[in-house]
Amino acid sequence: MKRVLLIATLLAFVSCVKSLPQLNENNIERVIKLMTAEEKARLLVFGNNQYEEDSTQVDMIAACKNIVPGSAGFTYPIWRLGIPSIVMADGPAGLRIAATRKGSDRTFYCTGFPVGSLLSSTWDVNLVEEMSAAIGEEVLEYGVDVLLAPGQNLHRNPLCGRNFEYFSEDPLLSGKISAAYVRGVQSVGVGTSVKHFAVNNSEVNRLSCDSRVSLRAARELYLKNFEITIRESSPWTVMTSYNYLNGRYTSEDAGLLKGILRGDWGYGGVIVSDWGGGYDARAQIAASNDLLAPGHNWQVKAILAAMQNGKLSEKDIDACVRRVLELIVKTPRFKGYEFSNNPNLLSHAKIARKAAADGMVLLENRSALPLQEGVKVAMFGTNSYKLIAGGTGAGCVNKAYTISLDKGLAESGFTLDVGTDEAYREFLDKERMRMEEVNAKRGWWYGDLPFDELPEAKLRKTAISAASSADVAVITLVRQAGEGRDRLVKNDFNLKPSEISLINEVTEAFHSKAKKVIVVLNVTGVVETASWKNKVDGILLAWQPGQEAGYAIADILGGVVNPSGHLPVSFPV
């Protein structure tokens, strides 16, 4: 008899669940009324870590994590009401997901596109929109719903580690380029997350740094670019920053979020915290920061406690829940889109190459460029053979390749000087073995350290020989940076002693033969050029141009593409 009653009870429960309304764009208010307090709290907290103290949720969380391996996070699903989990992933220079997966022999590469500083150097909103639509297509076909990009904080500090992700020191240029980026990505039916709101201009101590800014400076500079983006592109989400702003965490600042972003600018989309940003879950929800990432049980408990003791109003909770549900019903996952895992990477590589070349800036040219077809080029600098496509951390992309400058030049009809090539390859074989061991201890987050340069005696001998056999010298200087750290003045903003020696030895040898020397800057941000720019005959600012780097640089050096990039930031004299 007990077994019959149990079965009857289970059938009644299943029947009840089936009769519940399932979320759609027309019944959001009804669904909110049917949600329990705990369901509301969990929906406002990302699902990544909600199993920490509840083993019953482990399987559900694991299944959500496996939707798109390597993605940044996912919202908590409430299946009884037809609320699925949606997926968010980095990043600004192309989608960041895991390239390899358990149980699969194939790789899931994404296109490494040019970084933000290069895009803003194009001053071309149409090109940026075209390129970001290609990023959006990869987001869609790999099953991601929201891309955590673009980053658009101002380059207030030229040494900020994430300046490569950001667009400019100028709010108008930053806002226009960012709006174009958002329109492009969202044109294919996926969302963006404009970040980091606001006044996030450094990476050192980013969780405790307090940006002190007057209201006028904030309105006219640090917030103006965000305002332009909000008004001209309607991003699906906005991400708050890690830092304090005038003594308050941005994700807990009701004046910033409710007052300016929502009130003054009329923004109605979702606001999501940066991963681990903020401290007080109650204050974040009260300020209308709708989603807390990456999500923890203690945040759920804090929200529930605040609801029960009256420190969080039902109105504030429901407003956040409503915006999250409005986001969910717009997504490809909610609409049942069957993603292919096969975006058109070949087509996107061509777009990446075009954008990269269009954003390079010719800083100096004393009748050195363009190079005539077929000339013999002597390449100096170890990173001519190992260009850097993009920055580290969340801005990095798991791409199939990066085209080196020697490959780009050779395949564009130029002849490489054999002696220089052999000297560097012999050195690089040894250097690669040494650096693999060094970089293996650093972890992906910090990226690889660049290789050392040729020893000075070897360099001098190589330069003298190359000056007799080659027509022109090309020197590549690189810089790398990324999330969590800022650059330094010594050996980063300023050239390293080995780089100064490199310029001096090569220019002395080649100028003695009345031959030109060109420097390519494959850099993450501003470097000092005033002290050495008159020693060389040409300087090409290539930024970090993405996976097609070598081809795009060769397009400029050979005159296939006219250098038309403009500086989006100041290079100090």
Side-chain angles (χ1 to χ4, degrees):
M1 184 65 183
K2 287 182 179 180
R3 184 178 179 184
V4 172
L5 287 173
L6 178 61
I7 293 172
T9 301
L10 288 172
L11 289 172
F13 175 76
V14 170
S15 176
C16 178
V17 169
K18 285 185 176 179
S19 67
L20 286 172
Q22 301 296 285
L23 177 68
N24 64 62
E25 61 185 7
N26 298 314
N27 71 350
I28 290 175
E29 294 302 326
R30 186 181 179 197
V31 167
I32 292 174
K33 290 178 181 178
L34 291 169
M35 292 175 70
T36 66
E38 182 175 347
E39 286 173 335
K40 290 178 180 180
R42 290 200 179 278
L43 183 67
L44 301 182
V45 176
F46 264 69
N48 294 31
N49 302 306
Q50 284 199 39
Y51 62 86
E52 287 174 333
E53 299 172 10
D54 188 350
S55 60
T56 64
Q57 300 175 61
V58 172
D59 291 340
M60 182 274 287
I61 297 296
C64 291
K65 280 187 174 180
N66 286 327
I67 295 173
V68 185
S71 59
F74 53 91
T75 60
Y76 192 93
I78 303 171
W79 300 119
R80 75 182 188 95
L81 294 172
I83 304 173
S85 175
I86 65 169
V87 177
M88 299 187 183
D90 299 318
L95 178 64
R96 178 176 177 79
I97 58 174
T100 57
R101 300 177 183 179
K102 291 182 179 179
S104 177
D105 294 331
R106 66 164 289 194
T107 49
F108 299 81
Y109 289 125
C110 298
T111 304
F113 290 92
V115 300
S117 297
L118 184 147
L119 293 182
S120 59
S121 297
T122 69
W123 289 40
D124 187 341
V125 294
N126 294 324
L127 175 64
V128 172
E129 200 164 331
E130 177 190 7
M131 194 207 81
S132 59
I135 297 178
E137 199 254 332
E138 295 188 19
V139 173
L140 178 67
E141 294 304 331
Y142 275 130
V144 174
D145 298 288
V146 177
L147 180 72
L148 300 173
Q152 66 165 113
N153 293 96
L154 296 187
H155 291 207
R156 181 189 184 278
N157 173 10
L159 301 181
C160 175
R162 297 186 83 168
N163 277 353
F164 71 95
E165 294 185 41
Y166 304 149
F167 294 118
S168 177
E169 66 190 22
D170 178 78
L172 177 62
L173 178 60
S174 172
K176 292 291 185 179
I177 297 295
S178 177
Y181 185 107
V182 170
R183 289 194 300 268
V185 172
Q186 295 189 172
S187 68
V188 301
V190 295
T192 57
S193 192
V194 175
K195 60 186 187 181
H196 304 89
F197 192 71
V199 201
N200 180 196
N201 306 116
S202 65
E203 288 296 297
V204 172
N205 297 325
R206 62 184 183 175
L207 288 167
S208 56
C209 183
D210 188 3
S211 300
R212 297 279 175 159
V213 187
S214 70
L215 182 59
R216 178 174 179 177
R219 292 278 195 176
E220 294 182 0
L221 297 172
Y222 301 101
L223 302 181
K224 176 56 69 175
N225 51 342
F226 286 97
E227 179 182 4
I228 292 169
T229 304
I230 297 299
R231 295 189 187 279
E232 296 188 4
S233 65
S234 300
W236 286 12
T237 76
V238 170
M239 184 191 294
T240 47
S241 54
Y242 284 123
N243 56 286
Y244 292 92
L245 177 56
N246 294 328
R248 185 186 295 272
Y249 274 129
T250 58
S251 62
E252 301 172 11
D253 190 339
L256 177 68
L257 305 185
K258 278 186 174 180
I260 295 176
L261 180 57
R262 297 200 187 281
D264 294 351
W265 302 346
Y267 180 66
V270 164
I271 301 174
V272 57
S273 75
D274 204 341
W275 268 229
Y279 174 77
D280 185 340
R282 181 210 62 80
Q284 289 174 300
I285 298 303
S288 81
N289 192 118
D290 309 293
L291 275 171
L292 311 185
H296 295 281
N297 269 329
W298 66 263
Q299 292 171 309
V300 175
K301 292 177 180 179
I303 293 170
L304 283 170
M307 293 167 67
Q308 291 163 0
N309 63 26
K311 292 184 178 180
L312 256 183
S313 71
E314 185 177 3
K315 180 181 178 182
D316 281 339
I317 287 282
D318 286 354
C320 292
V321 169
R322 183 178 300 108
R323 285 187 290 265
V324 173
L325 294 178
E326 288 171 347
L327 169 66
I328 289 171
V329 299
K330 290 195 293 188
T331 61
R333 175 149 288 100
F334 182 82
K335 294 177 180 179
Y337 182 78
E338 296 183 8
F339 57 93
S340 67
N341 274 328
N342 287 299
N344 192 340
L345 299 182
L346 185 61
S347 171
H348 296 169
K350 294 177 181 177
I351 296 172
R353 177 175 178 173
K354 179 178 184 292
D358 282 358
M360 294 182 186
V361 185
L362 190 58
L363 296 181
E364 200 73 50
N365 187 22
R366 298 187 181 91
S367 303
L369 296 172
L371 301 179
Q372 298 302 307
E373 186 177 352
V375 301
K376 183 180 287 188
V377 180
M379 293 196 318
F380 290 88
T382 53
N383 283 89
S384 292
Y385 301 83
K386 193 177 183 294
L387 292 172
I388 296 177
T392 64
C396 182
V397 179
N398 291 317
K399 52 203 169 293
Y401 59 84
T402 299
I403 301 297
S404 60
L405 185 52
D406 63 315
K407 182 179 177 68
L409 289 171
E411 294 187 15
S412 299
F414 296 100
T415 303
L416 301 183
D417 181 66
V418 175
T420 313
D421 198 55
E422 288 179 350
Y424 269 97
R425 291 192 186 282
E426 180 184 344
F427 175 74
L428 285 169
D429 285 342
K430 298 175 183 177
E431 184 71 358
R432 191 172 286 109
M433 292 176 64
R434 182 182 74 85
M435 291 306 296
E436 281 179 359
E437 185 176 343
V438 171
N439 286 323
K441 299 175 183 178
R442 289 172 58 82
W444 71 269
W445 189 259
Y446 296 104
D448 291 347
L449 288 171
F451 293 170
D452 283 344
E453 291 298 338
L454 286 177
E456 194 164 344
K458 179 72 170 177
L459 171 62
R460 182 175 297 114
K461 181 180 178 181
T462 303
I464 292 171
S465 175
S468 297
S469 58
D471 301 307
V472 63
V474 174
I475 301 171
T476 303
L477 304 179
V478 303
R479 291 292 183 270
Q480 183 60 297
E483 187 171 359
R485 60 195 174 98
D486 289 323
R487 297 169 57 210
L488 302 173
V489 173
K490 184 179 180 181
N491 295 335
D492 195 340
F493 175 74
N494 290 330
L495 296 195
K496 304 171 187 176
S498 61
E499 293 170 329
I500 295 171
S501 294
L502 177 62
I503 290 174
N504 289 340
E505 295 291 350
V506 175
T507 53
E508 183 177 341
F510 273 74
H511 287 171
S512 71
K513 301 287 186 180
K515 296 177 180 179
K516 304 288 187 179
V517 178
I518 299 154
V519 171
V520 174
L521 295 176
N522 174 207
V523 294
T524 186
V526 176
V527 294
E528 192 276 328
T529 59
S531 66
W532 55 270
K533 69 178 183 178
N534 292 327
K535 296 180 180 180
V536 300
D537 306 291
I539 304 174
L540 177 64
L541 175 60
W543 296 112
Q544 292 176 324
Q547 68 181 45
E548 299 294 304
Y551 290 146
I553 294 170
D555 287 341
I556 294 290
L557 296 181
V560 175
V561 176
N562 189 51
S564 57
H566 306 278
L567 283 178
V569 294
S570 301
F571 269 61
V573 176

